[in-house]
Amino acid sequence: MTEATARLIDGKAVAAEIRAEIGRHVAAIMRDRAVPPGLAVILIGEDPASQVYVRSKEKLAGEAGFKSVVYRRPADTPEEALLTLIEGLNEDPTIHGILVQLPVPAQIDEAKIIEAISPEKDVDGFHPTNVGRLVAGQSALVPCTPLGCLTLLKRELGDLSGANAVVIGRSNIVGKPMASLLLRESCTVTTAHSRTRDLPDLCRRADILVPAIGKPRFVKGDWVKPGAAVIDVGINRVDAGRGDGSTRLVGDVDFDSAVKVAGVITPVPGGVGPMTIAMLLRNTLEAYCRINRIPFPMA
Ligand code: NDP
């Protein structure tokens, strides 16, 4: 007898489709307008992972027909200089999305920086105005990674209403907005975290399980309800086991055991990860449409 295996969600392919759709919308908009959607990314310091993300954002934004500008600043940049840069971008009519690559160096107050970005250009969805609007069920710019997770879930499952959803993690970037989005879809949502009691049992009741923890292969196959949708947000670098010091990426889910139980599952890499930039471009197009008072052409 062969073992049942979950259907894999190809986040890379979905993200490429969405980026192509965005590119088509931008081309159509540009038939009547001179200024394309503009995305400004600010990178402070030399963090190698951040540099890779920023290069990829710049490249994919350009491919979708956006104007894309990256402001690279040294690690010792004073907070005041960053605030002045953001003020200028808030006023710049060719920029519709502003993103400060996190984390920022210690001399810079992250919350202050996030609050300095105009909420209508806050394409990361971290500004308290957008956070509040999301929680209040109003239209908002929504954080990219959870929006990517929701997009995958809706494409796979359609209507999510009534589903039991368990989100593991309560960060402002992933866990909390993910829970708000699932609630907005009428799921019954539980947010778990490091103090949660009997996490395996809680997970076994989830029709939708979204681990966003940052611990390699933490969620085991026998925590997964048979047929559940598992969206693995975790990105963890581990030893590849080749004995040569090389590394590879794994998620927060023990994929090999979970794939035998789940109904659908995202792999790592190639699941949630590629969706994040696609959602950033989507948010920038949405911000552009709102600022220019034209209908946003995407769902
Ligand atoms: P944080 O470290 O900010 O949050 C981790 C959360 O996990 C916390 O709420 C913490 O609980 C919870 N947690 C830690 N240990 C346990 C445990 N033993 N049991 C239950 N919950 C636990 O991480 P992020 O939210 O920023 O990121 C989470 C993961 O997602 C990381 O692997 C990150 O790399 C990845 N990520 C992926 C992205 C993508 O594009 N695919 C984008 C962003 C993040 P508590 O609050 O109690 O401490």
Side-chain angles (χ1 to χ4, degrees):
M1 211 174 77
T2 54
E3 274 173 329
T5 52
R7 195 164 70 250
L8 289 198
I9 302 177
D10 186 347
K12 202 172 162 192
V14 176
E17 259 175 52
I18 293 172
R19 290 198 312 271
E21 185 191 344
I22 292 169
R24 287 193 296 275
H25 291 310
V26 173
I29 288 170
M30 291 312 292
R31 286 202 281 270
D32 306 323
R33 291 180 176 263
V35 177
L39 173 66
V41 176
I42 303 172
L43 173 62
I44 313 286
E46 313 283 323
D47 178 59
S50 294
Q51 293 199 26
V52 171
Y53 287 136
V54 167
R55 267 200 299 276
S56 163
K57 285 169 184 171
E58 191 178 17
K59 175 173 172 280
L60 297 176
E63 281 175 18
F66 289 36
K67 168 184 162 174
S68 159
V69 196
V70 178
Y71 295 86
R72 293 184 169 81
R73 295 289 183 269
D76 61 356
T77 298
E79 185 179 274
E80 211 40 52
L82 183 52
L83 290 170
T84 306
L85 174 58
I86 291 171
E87 264 169 44
L89 293 169
N90 283 341
E91 299 302 321
D92 185 338
T94 69
I95 294 298
H96 309 89
I98 304 170
L99 178 154
V100 177
Q101 186 67 41
L102 301 178
V104 288
Q107 77 276 12
I108 295 169
D109 178 347
E110 191 175 292
K112 206 165 161 186
I113 295 306
I114 290 170
E115 288 191 42
I117 297 171
S118 162
E120 63 176 9
K121 297 188 177 183
D122 167 41
V123 284
D124 252 343
F126 297 158
H127 191 286
T129 296
N130 282 313
V131 175
R133 293 182 66 88
L134 172 62
V135 173
Q138 299 168 356
S139 71
L141 289 167
V142 173
C144 301
T145 299
L147 188 58
C149 295
L150 185 73
T151 304
L152 292 177
L153 278 167
K154 286 174 80 171
R155 284 175 76 111
E156 283 299 321
L157 306 181
D159 182 14
L160 307 182
S161 66
N164 277 333
V166 171
V167 178
I168 316 177
R170 55 174 162 178
S171 71
N172 292 336
I173 292 172
V174 189
K176 282 185 202 154
M178 187 74 239
S180 296
L181 283 172
L182 290 166
L183 188 60
R184 199 172 76 177
E185 297 299 321
S186 298
C187 295
T188 303
V189 186
T190 308
T191 305
H193 45 76
S194 65
R195 308 289 180 90
T196 297
R197 296 200 185 114
D198 202 359
L199 185 59
D201 192 47
L202 186 70
C203 292
R204 280 181 206 115
R205 283 180 262 149
D207 305 307
I208 295 171
L209 183 59
V210 187
I213 313 163
K215 290 197 155 58
R217 303 188 189 101
F218 186 76
V219 173
K220 309 300 176 202
D222 66 356
W223 301 16
V224 175
K225 179 177 175 178
V230 178
I231 305 292
D232 188 353
V233 183
I235 300 178
N236 308 288
R237 193 164 281 286
V238 297
D239 190 287
R242 298 190 197 99
D244 59 1
S246 60
T247 58
R248 70 183 188 102
L249 296 181
V250 298
D252 288 344
V253 174
D254 180 34
F255 183 86
D256 292 346
S257 60
V259 74
K260 294 176 186 152
V261 189
V264 293
I265 189 167
T266 54
V268 177
V272 173
M275 292 296 288
T276 298
I277 297 182
M279 293 300 111
L280 172 67
L281 302 183
R282 181 209 169 278
N283 280 355
T284 307
L285 181 59
E286 185 173 0
Y288 175 89
C289 290
R290 281 202 207 152
I291 290 168
N292 286 291
R293 299 183 197 287
I294 56 175
F296 177 51
M298 298 178 76

